[in-house]
């Protein structure tokens, strides 16, 4: 079967959990299928390229008139009219239509699996239907229900137009999945994907080494050090709760605590200044996955202080798989995961005092060790093999239909 993944970013432009999910899934499917990826993260607006990456054929083009990297990371440098014109290109872009046709003519996909469509207009679902190619969409963000990300404001008419657009074009999707029940239910309640014949929760997953995890828990249980190392990993943007986390940590006057921060973004300088003031804070910058896992191996507790509705929270599972119980907010799909795994504690987003209290609580090694058996018991539910098998069944179903 020829399977085409459509997503904004692809390796080596790894932005976060979505790119890890797509890369792992695409490469694993090459054993049984022909797999290609179409992405729009080429910085040169005139360049198209095709290359093979670990058995996956990658069609890379730019977002053309849509300034993907500037709109993503330097939006404050855009004027109001430019922001409006750029946003309109997220809904329809003739150049993207030509690139999509180029990819389909070259690869001849039997089905298309879409992921994050930031810079690639969701009208791609209609273009696929016109070519009689079935589509499956995995919801990774809040685009189906909101024209803006967390914290940004949109007026009534913009919200109304976005809802009409998403409802109109998502009807061309044959199968829709989401990594959490919250994310699936929210999108369906907004009227999206109403013609999807199959609607399922397929959780994100990681590769899990149970023996290594068991050994890590045993070593942590034997460790009698007074040190407790907290770790944050993700984009350094305000809606990830960075400032709340740093304020809470500053309130815990304990020299035996450390806070390790991994990531990059608009709050990098803010984090660097905090690290300069407090020697207990260690800023690692943005790390490749192997290097990030190495940092996890030296830490004790993962903090996920997000203040927006995370569709899933891939970092939670990565932390659990590396032996870390979690402190997370009651936002989006994270609540389901932490409660199902019994892998940590939840608090209300933005509550500095609650987060401070949990940091103190998790500094007790016996308290955090109480979560180790629960993680070992439930972690297999998020093993990558299960996710791969679920999607392969869906591919066969959609192809047969």
């Amino acid at each position: 079967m020829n399977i085409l993944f459509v997503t904004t970013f692809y390796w080596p432009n790894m932005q976060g959990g979505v790119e890890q999910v797509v890369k792992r899934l695409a490469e694993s499917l090459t054993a049984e299928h022909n797999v290609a990826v179409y992405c729009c993260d080429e910085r040169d607006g005139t360049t198209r390229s095709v290359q093979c990456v670990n058995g996956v054929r990658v069609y890379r083009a730019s977002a053309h008139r849509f300034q993907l990297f500037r709109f993503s990371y330097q939006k404050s440098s855009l004027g109001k009219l430019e922001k409006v014109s750029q946003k309109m290109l997220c809904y329809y872009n003739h150049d993207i239509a030509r690139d999509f046709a180029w990819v389909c003519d070259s690869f001849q996909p039997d089905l298309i699996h879409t992921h994050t469509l930031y810079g690639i207009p969701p009208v791609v679902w209609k273009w696929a239907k016109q070519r009689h190619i079935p589509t499956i969409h995995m919801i990774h963000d809040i685009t189906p229900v909101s024209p803006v990300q967390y914290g940004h404001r949109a007026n009534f008419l913009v919200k109304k137009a976005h809802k009409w657009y998403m409802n109109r074009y998502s009807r061309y999707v044959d199968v829709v999945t989401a990594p959490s029940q919250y994310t699936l239910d929210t999108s369906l309640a907004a009227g999206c994907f109403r013609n999807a014949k199959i609607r399922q929760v397929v959780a994100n997953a990681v590769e899990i080494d149970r023996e290594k995890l068991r050994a890590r828990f045993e070593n942590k249980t034997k460790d009698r050090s007074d040190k407790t190392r907290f770790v944050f990993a993700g984009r350094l943007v305000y809606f990830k709760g960075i400032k709340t986390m740093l304020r809470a940590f500053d309130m815990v006057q304990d020299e035996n605590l450390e806070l390790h921060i991994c990531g990059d973004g608009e709050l990098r300088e803010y984090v660097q200044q905090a690290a300069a003031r407090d020697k207990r804070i260690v800023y690692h910058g943005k790390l490749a996955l192997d290097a990030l896992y190495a940092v996890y191996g030296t830490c004790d507790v993962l903090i996920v202080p997000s203040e927006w509705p995370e569709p899933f929270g891939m970092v939670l599972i990565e932390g659990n798989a590396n032996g870390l119980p979690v402190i997370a907010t009651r936002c989006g799909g994270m609540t389901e995961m932490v409660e199902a795994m019994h892998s940590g504690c939840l608090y209300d987003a933005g509550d500095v005092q609650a987060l401070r209290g949990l940091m103190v609580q998790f500094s007790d090694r016996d308290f955090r060790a109480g979560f180790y058996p629960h993680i070992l018991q439930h972690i297999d539910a998020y093993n990558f093999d299960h996710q791969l098998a679920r999607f392969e069944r869906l591919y066969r179903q959609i192809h047969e239909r």
Side-chain angles (χ1 to χ4, degrees), residues 192-208:
C192 293
F193 309 108
R194 63 179 180 271
N195 290 340
K197 303 175 185 68
I198 301 173
R199 308 167 180 181
Q200 285 188 11
V201 173
V202 181
N204 288 332
V206 296
E207 294 176 352
I208 297 166

Side-chain angles (χ1 to χ4, degrees), residues 330-367:
R330 294 185 181 89
C331 279
M334 294 196 299
T335 302
E336 296 172 35
M337 201 182 326
V338 174
E339 290 180 346
M341 292 271 289
H342 303 288
S343 59
C345 292
L346 298 165
Y347 72 98
D348 292 333
D351 190 334
V352 177
Q353 291 291 346
L355 179 53
R356 174 198 170 278
L358 287 172
M359 286 180 176
V360 172
Q361 204 168 7
F362 273 85
S363 65
D364 183 332
R365 73 170 70 88
D366 293 331
F367 177 79

Side-chain angles (χ1 to χ4, degrees), residues 87-156:
K87 189 64 179 178
M88 292 303 294
L89 289 170
C90 290
Y91 295 107
Y92 196 86
N93 189 327
H94 289 285
D95 296 313
I96 294 290
R98 285 194 291 270
D99 287 339
F100 180 73
W102 160 63
V103 174
C104 289
D105 290 341
S106 173
F107 185 63
Q108 295 292 309
D110 294 307
L111 65 86
I112 292 174
H113 192 167
T114 58
H115 293 268
T116 298
L117 298 179
Y118 181 59
I120 300 175
V123 70
V124 69
W125 296 321
K126 181 179 180 180
W127 298 339
K129 184 66 71 175
Q130 290 171 339
R131 287 172 171 265
H132 307 290
I133 307 171
T135 58
I136 176 172
H137 179 66
M138 184 173 186
I139 306 170
H140 290 283
D141 53 33
I142 62 173
T143 299
V145 298
S146 174
V148 294
Q149 292 297 319
Y150 173 85
H152 297 285
R153 294 182 179 180
N155 65 42
F156 173 77

